[in-house]
Amino acid sequence: MRLILLGPPGAGKGTQAQRLVEKHGIPQLSTGDMLRAAVQAGTEVGKRAKAVMDAGELVSDAIVNAIVAERIDQPDCARGFILDGYPRTLVQADAVEAMLKERGIALDTVVELVVDDKALVGRIVKRAEDAKAAGQPVRKDDNPAVFEERLREYYKKTAPLIGYYYAKGKLRGVDGMASIDAVTTEIEAVLATTVKVAATAK
Ligand code: AMP
């Protein structure tokens, strides 16, 4: 199963991806997590990405495309993967298509978590508070000022992917404002139809 989770920052992509990992036994490929790990490790990529991420802007397509292309060739991705926070631009979407085609595999579906922007800042603030309470590091970009920029980036560069995947017949919208369990149920319902259809079509 190859799935893309689409939606603005704070929509719940990471939370739902983790549930999908547990249920389907395929990895979550979060470019945000991979970039944060690179920053933490002080790699060349991490050094180049840090300031951009702290400002809430997008890291270059070339960097993230290279990271994902390398990651999907790992053995744990053989049965499929969940792309979380990638692709985020039309250039990245074209890159995904090329990567999959090169490897003779297909994308099953793109799930868009549809949310109300006004609720998102509250979710981000809560995520930062929860991380702090749990003694975990708080993401530098999880604050209202940077969040505004991340949301602007989303509308400018990522939202066009909704039309891109709709035109390809791949897009399925899910109500991201419902409870976490209800969103999971709705995503599973989408997968039950789209993934089966893709499997029969092969
Ligand atoms: P996320 O954890 O998905 O919210 O990503 C955190 C930050 O990492 C974003 O605000 C970007 O700076 C960077 N980032 C993550 N994924 C991508 C991507 N696909 N393209 C460009 N930048 C990304």
Side-chain angles (χ1 to χ4, degrees):
M1 178 171 83
R2 284 150 202 112
L3 167 74
I4 292 175
L5 290 178
L6 195 61
K13 301 186 296 296
T15 303
Q16 295 300 329
Q18 279 165 22
R19 290 180 160 213
L20 290 162
V21 167
E22 275 168 36
K23 176 144 198 251
H24 299 276
I26 54 172
Q28 165 195 17
L29 272 47
S30 156
T31 41
D33 285 351
M34 293 182 219
L35 289 166
R36 278 185 288 278
V39 170
Q40 193 70 31
T43 65
E44 250 342 282
V45 164
K47 281 181 202 151
R48 281 163 67 191
K50 188 178 183 313
V52 179
M53 292 172 75
D54 287 349
E57 291 161 15
L58 293 189
V59 173
S60 82
D61 292 326
I63 289 182
V64 287
N65 288 341
I67 293 179
V68 175
E70 197 183 311
R71 182 67 185 87
I72 62 171
D73 284 333
Q74 302 296 311
D76 64 331
C77 291
R79 284 184 52 248
F81 44 79
I82 302 145
L83 292 174
D84 160 15
Y86 177 90
R88 254 174 157 104
T89 65
L90 288 168
V91 171
Q92 293 177 23
D94 284 338
V96 175
E97 190 158 302
M99 271 178 227
L100 297 183
K101 201 169 169 196
E102 238 171 63
R103 290 161 178 80
I105 50 182
L107 180 69
D108 290 302
T109 191
V110 178
V111 172
E112 181 201 356
L113 294 176
V114 182
V115 288
D116 169 7
D117 287 357
K118 289 187 285 299
L120 294 178
V121 183
R123 283 192 182 185
I124 290 284
V125 169
K126 186 168 182 309
R127 179 157 81 185
E129 284 168 0
D130 288 350
K132 204 171 167 190
Q136 291 163 355
V138 176
R139 282 175 54 167
K140 258 197 167 162
D141 58 355
D142 269 355
N143 68 71
V146 179
F147 180 77
E148 291 296 333
E149 182 56 27
R150 290 164 65 200
L151 203 55
R152 266 195 296 274
E153 286 282 81
Y154 176 78
Y155 281 110
K156 231 183 327 181
K157 299 174 181 166
T158 310
L161 300 189
I162 295 170
Y164 176 96
Y165 287 117
Y166 176 82
K168 289 179 184 292
K170 292 283 181 199
L171 189 76
R172 298 290 182 278
V174 159
D175 175 13
M177 297 311 292
S179 71
I180 294 176
D181 284 347
V183 176
T184 306
T185 305
E186 217 184 314
I187 293 176
E188 290 300 338
V190 164
L191 297 180
T193 51
T194 50
V195 176
K196 204 167 9 165
V197 169
T200 356
K202 263 181 212 151

